[in-house]
Amino acid sequence: ADVSAAIRFSQAHRIPFVVKGGGHSYFGNSNRADSLLLWTRRLRSIEVHDSFRPQGSPAETAIPAVSVGAGTLWGEVYRTVARDHDRYVQGGGCMTVGTAGFVQGGGFGSFSKQFGTGAANLIEAEVVTADGVARVVNAWQEPELYFALRGGGGGTFGVVTRLTLRTYALPESFGAVVFEASATDDAAWKELVEQMLLFYREQLHNPNWGEQIRFLPKRRLSVSMLCHSRSESEMRTTWAPFFDWIASQAGRIKLGAEPLILALPGRSLWDPDFLRKLPGITLADDRPAANPDNLFWATNLGEVGQVLNAYQSRWIDASWLQPARFDTLVKALIDASREWSVGLHTNKGLAGGSAEALSATRETATNPQVLDAFALLICAADAPPAYPGVTGHEPDVAGGRQEAVSVRRAMAPIVALDPTAGCYISEADYFEENWQRAYWGANYPRLAAAKRRYDPRSFFAGHHTVRV
């Protein structure tokens, strides 16, 4: 009722309206000057269901699920679902990401190749539309609005107040392999890039593995891969041939340090009591009277207030891993990494994933190219926290523009692989020209039709959002 009143007030007084959840919008769509900002922060309920049946659906559709308020963050949802109930829900990798915006944007987690996107796991939503009406939508009730909420863009079709998501049996274990390597010359660097991609194709291109492989200037490789349902022994066995190959290179290729290889029980990955025992992995919310369980990954600290000087992404089709196209991909990555670092986010392309993940994601609004891509390649330049108009803390505009030029140069050989390749709506170029095709592909006309039906005056609007 409060959300409905806010929408009506905003319309009556012609005040721009903005919805904020976790506040991770790279485009700034969760804030706007001179607007009425509706922050869902206090919608914090979390209810785990052994058996949930969407409204209006047959009895046999009941499945395990969790209902969460739109103001919840993934860290607290994970703690409740995994630690307290031994279940898994597909959310984001960062614990401070908001649930509602994540799902509406599509939403990838470290294990999306197994469990699909956040949008693919949405089974019901409560949403207040531009007419002020509260609706409960799912595959049986107002299916076109339900489709739009599954990847059509956060805050684009209404204000989501509650989401119900499918849950799964919690994997027995989660694991990580983290290391860096470098090459002494161009020939060795080419071999390292080739071996890394071959190893990925043969050993990691499956539902168990996800996360990042980065190629950096000065012939450096950085790997941070996560897995599920693998013991430490199994992980070491999997990676042994790759590390043995590095050892055989007589110093032409070197590891930066001993690789970190670890496995932990499934319930422990988001358990604050366990995480606090791992030095340097997490940080705690240090505000007065903050919940001591409010932890976040230490690597995310630098994102608070950071300036994005450039950000581009492209899905890389799995066919580039095959012999006929492999050499071209290798060359493109080498050429790109001369200019700037580029990362293959293998959890954000679903090729090689489970049949269930592919089938469920196919029904969402996300660009169908994600189904055939083995990774989302991201090339970005960020700067420390800065605030326009605050003396002494202004962004370095000149330096930022120089970095943006470097990113464009780095992306040129990647874009040349497939100029029609799309990208992920939540992690994309602010200046993307063909954004409708890039974000949604063939799904855009269907989204536009839903927009005309539920928000004919584009009351909910933002940068590169579906409009009438």
Side-chain angles (χ1 to χ4, degrees):
D2 291 341
V3 172
S4 179
I7 290 174
R8 295 180 189 279
F9 178 89
S10 179
Q11 290 180 334
H13 295 277
R14 297 183 179 181
I15 301 172
F17 188 84
V18 176
V19 188
K20 177 177 178 174
H24 275 65
S25 171
Y26 283 18
F27 289 170
N29 285 337
S30 59
N31 62 80
R32 180 177 175 180
D34 303 318
S35 68
L36 175 64
L37 187 146
L38 190 148
W39 196 14
T40 62
R41 182 69 169 170
R42 293 188 177 181
L43 299 176
R44 307 301 288 275
S45 62
I46 303 175
E47 182 181 2
V48 177
H49 311 278
D50 292 331
S51 181
F52 179 87
R53 181 166 68 91
Q55 287 189 21
S57 69
E60 62 268 19
T61 61
I63 57 173
V66 59
S67 295
V68 300
T72 50
L73 304 181
W74 279 114
E76 58 191 328
V77 175
Y78 285 140
R79 290 196 295 272
T80 300
V81 175
R83 181 191 64 181
D84 300 341
H85 290 85
D86 286 313
R87 301 291 294 177
Y88 178 83
V89 59
Q90 184 57 70
C94 300
M95 291 190 282
T96 55
V97 167
T99 53
F102 170 87
V103 169
Q104 291 174 81
F108 294 91
S110 300
F111 311 110
S112 281
K113 269 186 163 59
Q114 177 67 58
F115 301 105
T117 62
N121 285 281
L122 178 67
I123 55 179
E124 186 170 277
E126 179 185 78
V127 56
V128 184
T129 44
D131 54 7
V133 175
R135 308 167 189 266
V136 175
V137 303
N138 52 48
W140 293 267
Q141 294 185 170
E142 306 195 65
E144 290 307 297
L145 181 54
Y146 171 63
F147 171 79
L149 296 180
R150 299 206 300 166
T156 301
F157 296 90
V159 179
V160 170
T161 53
R162 186 183 69 243
L163 310 96
T164 299
L165 303 159
R166 180 189 304 267
T167 66
Y168 301 85
L170 184 67
E172 291 187 5
S173 65
F174 296 108
V177 176
V178 181
F179 67 92
E180 294 186 357
S182 61
T184 58
D185 54 57
D186 289 346
W189 176 231
K190 182 174 182 292
E191 292 178 34
L192 178 57
V193 174
E194 290 173 341
Q195 288 297 319
M196 183 69 255
L197 292 176
L198 287 170
F199 180 75
Y200 175 82
R201 185 182 73 189
E202 301 301 325
Q203 299 295 333
L204 310 180
H205 187 45
N206 57 59
N208 292 94
W209 289 89
E211 282 301 335
Q212 301 177 38
I213 303 171
R214 297 177 63 212
F215 305 90
L216 294 86
K218 300 182 180 180
R219 300 184 293 268
R220 293 173 295 148
L221 172 72
S222 176
V223 174
S224 178
M225 294 293 288
L226 301 183
C227 68
H228 70 87
S229 308
R230 293 290 183 268
S231 67
E232 182 176 328
S233 175
E234 290 172 322
M235 293 160 61
R236 290 186 180 278
T237 298
T238 296
W239 281 85
F242 183 78
F243 293 133
D244 288 345
W245 175 81
I246 290 179
S248 72
Q249 295 305 299
R252 298 173 62 243
I253 297 170
K254 299 179 181 179
L255 288 171
E258 184 68 20
L260 171 66
I261 302 178
L262 61 86
L264 62 154
R267 293 183 64 186
S268 299
L269 182 57
W270 300 285
D271 182 357
D273 292 335
F274 177 85
L275 293 173
R276 276 189 282 264
K277 299 174 184 177
L278 303 177
I281 300 298
T282 60
L283 295 172
D285 186 341
D286 58 3
R287 294 174 298 176
N291 185 332
D293 284 351
N294 285 355
L295 302 183
F296 59 95
W297 305 120
T299 53
N300 294 143
L301 180 62
E303 297 173 4
V304 181
Q306 76 175 175
V307 175
L308 293 176
N309 290 327
Y311 204 106
Q312 295 194 35
S313 67
R314 285 291 185 278
W315 272 306
I316 308 298
D317 195 277
S319 63
W320 291 103
L321 291 173
Q322 299 308 309
R325 311 184 87 183
F326 183 82
D327 290 344
T328 305
L329 175 61
V330 170
K331 184 179 186 304
L333 291 171
I334 290 174
D335 291 345
S337 65
R338 288 195 186 100
E339 294 287 345
W340 207 257
S341 64
V342 293
L344 294 172
H345 293 242
T346 64
N347 56 309
K348 296 173 183 175
L350 298 189
S354 68
E356 295 79 9
L358 291 166
S359 176
T361 304
R362 186 173 287 109
E363 300 302 315
T364 71
T366 301
N367 190 326
Q369 289 183 3
V370 68
L371 304 171
D372 298 316
F374 80 93
L376 179 75
L377 183 140
I378 295 178
C379 182
D382 58 74
Y387 306 91
V390 180
T391 302
H393 300 278
E394 296 274 6
D396 178 4
V397 176
R401 288 175 174 166
Q402 290 178 351
E403 291 192 349
V405 170
S406 295
V407 168
R408 286 196 294 273
R409 288 175 177 168
M411 284 298 294
I414 303 302
V415 172
L417 292 174
D418 181 1
T420 66
C423 54
Y424 174 36
I425 176 177
S426 295
E427 295 179 309
D429 185 2
Y430 188 89
F431 304 101
E432 178 66 50
E433 293 183 358
N434 300 310
W435 53 273
Q436 297 97 329
R437 174 189 56 77
Y439 301 160
W440 297 292
N443 288 327
Y444 187 78
R446 186 176 175 185
L447 289 172
K451 185 71 169 177
R452 286 192 295 272
R453 177 177 177 182
Y454 290 99
D455 187 14
R457 297 183 180 178
S458 290
F459 173 69
F460 299 105
H463 182 72
H464 287 181
T465 56
V466 178
R467 296 195 182 206
V468 174

